[in-house]
Amino acid sequence: MNDLSISNATTVRDSGHHCCSCNPIPRVFLYIVIALFLLGLSVSIFIFVVVHNAVFFLSLLALSALLLAFILWNTLNWNSKTAILFFVRSLPDSDLRLARHGQLVKITGLASCGSVSLESSYEKATRCIYASTFLYEYRGFDLKPVNVNTSCFQWSLAYCERFATDFYITDRKSGVRAVVKAGSNSKVIPLVIESKLVNTTRQCRILSPNLRKWLRERNLSEEARLLRLEEGYVQEGSCVTVIGMLHRNNDIVMIIQPPEAISTGCLWQKLLLPVDIDGLILRASQLAGPVNQETIPHPDR
């Protein structure tokens, strides 16, 4: 079993569901852009005051607006994994009968459990190859931030569980069955949609008995507050897509994580910068996980 919440604890805390190796917009680049903007602004204001020509000043504002929009566009799409999803869709499916040892392959097929299977934390769904649970708290004046980087008046990740395990996949193109090494000591990039199971509101912050029991088992506070619990899992029999390196050992076919990070490349048609993907990509081809949300009734109803 692979505890991804421990191996990616800092990344999960800082950017939610991300496991990419780096942000496409480095902080050094932002510092350089800010310094150049301040320098250009001071020069343009000086020219405007002395020469009474606002062309340079207006051009600087227009260029800065375009650059800011480009940075915001890439940051938002990085958070939603748009570049990774586009990379997965654009890569053609491989044929395990023809693929060579050490080749990067994309396999789509039905998943089945290996010797170890998982159970989802809250819904208790059995025979899973991947399971994740995220608990968010809304931070206001009444709640003390978990750390100095946590701001008030926003949803913050308070607790997370994310597990993966080795499983089998049957290639729908060739019918060959392969072992996917997503278990211990493997880096996994899960592209699985989590569903909202519990969502308390300002009008009613009462926690259900099931949620209180779940919090108690994990030594979390049971006080009534604004909470949102999301859970996702991939059960046996689901159609999944895996991208990794093919490893052949006699008659055993395995898909393991690539030894080096994979770059999505520049997606100029979508104005997206390259993103480095360090690990085995696991994507559920359809919504995997719970679909029913637990409703918290108002006490006056």
Side-chain angles (χ1 to χ4, degrees):
M1 187 170 63
N2 191 0
D3 190 351
L4 302 175
S5 58
I6 294 178
S7 60
N8 298 293
T10 304
T11 311
V12 169
R13 187 185 304 113
D14 293 341
S15 56
H17 298 49
H18 250 286
C19 295
C20 302
S21 61
C22 64
N23 194 309
I25 309 294
R27 290 188 177 182
V28 177
F29 174 77
L30 294 178
Y31 296 150
I32 295 175
V33 169
I34 293 174
L36 291 177
F37 171 76
L38 294 177
L39 178 62
L41 183 62
S42 59
V43 173
S44 62
I45 292 177
F46 176 78
I47 294 176
F48 178 70
V49 172
V50 175
V51 187
H52 301 288
N53 189 342
V55 175
F56 188 77
F57 179 73
L58 295 177
S59 301
L60 176 67
L61 293 181
L63 181 62
S64 301
L66 291 175
L67 184 59
L68 179 61
F70 179 75
I71 293 174
L72 291 176
W73 171 256
N74 275 269
T75 302
L76 292 174
N77 282 279
W78 180 76
N79 290 332
S80 60
K81 304 179 183 177
T82 303
I84 304 178
L85 292 172
F86 187 82
F87 172 77
V88 172
R89 288 194 296 265
S90 61
L91 199 66
D93 286 337
S94 305
D95 192 332
L96 286 181
R97 293 172 300 184
L98 305 176
R100 303 182 306 275
H101 174 81
Q103 178 182 342
L104 184 70
V105 294
K106 172 187 173 183
I107 303 300
T108 301
L110 297 181
S112 56
C113 295
S115 57
V116 176
S117 62
L118 303 174
E119 181 182 77
S120 66
S121 175
Y122 192 80
E123 285 275 285
K124 302 299 182 183
T126 59
R127 304 291 294 173
C128 298
I129 62 172
Y130 169 83
S132 62
T133 305
F134 298 91
L135 179 69
Y136 296 89
E137 290 184 4
Y138 187 81
R139 301 275 169 191
F141 283 129
D142 55 334
L143 285 176
K144 185 181 296 185
V146 178
N147 53 62
V148 294
N149 296 323
T150 303
S151 303
C152 294
F153 304 108
Q154 70 175 12
W155 288 99
S156 302
L157 183 63
Y159 179 82
C160 72
E161 293 181 8
R162 177 182 274 176
F163 297 98
T165 185
D166 295 346
F167 64 94
Y168 295 96
I169 183 172
T170 303
D171 181 20
R172 67 181 181 183
K173 201 168 186 178
S174 62
V176 177
R177 197 176 189 223
V179 181
V180 180
K181 303 297 290 183
S184 182
N185 299 324
S186 295
K187 294 181 180 179
V188 181
I189 312 297
L191 303 178
V192 179
I193 300 175
E194 281 80 16
S195 300
K196 293 181 182 179
L197 298 182
V198 179
N199 192 13
T200 59
T201 63
R202 295 182 183 273
Q203 291 74 22
C204 181
R205 304 188 185 190
I206 296 177
L207 306 184
S208 66
N210 290 336
L211 182 58
R212 287 184 178 274
K213 179 183 178 183
W214 187 86
L215 293 171
R216 193 182 311 117
E217 291 174 349
R218 286 152 184 80
N219 296 321
L220 299 175
S221 174
E222 299 179 46
E223 63 176 309
R225 59 196 188 277
L226 288 176
L227 292 177
R228 189 177 80 235
L229 188 141
E230 299 179 0
E231 187 169 80
Y233 49 79
V234 181
Q235 284 184 294
E236 187 177 47
S238 301
C239 184
V240 299
T241 298
V242 176
I243 297 180
M245 190 181 74
L246 182 64
H247 181 80
R248 295 184 183 273
N249 186 7
N250 296 328
D251 295 333
I252 301 176
V253 180
M254 292 186 293
I255 301 176
I256 61 177
Q257 72 174 62
E260 299 179 352
I262 308 170
S263 178
T264 60
C266 290
L267 305 176
W268 295 117
Q269 63 271 36
K270 293 185 176 292
L271 298 178
L272 294 177
L273 294 173
V275 175
D276 291 334
I277 308 171
D278 188 12
L280 185 78
I281 300 178
L282 171 63
R283 182 195 179 197
S285 299
Q286 55 189 359
L287 180 63
V291 295
N292 296 322
Q293 179 176 338
E294 179 180 323
T295 56
I296 310 295
H298 195 279
D300 296 335
R301 295 180 182 175

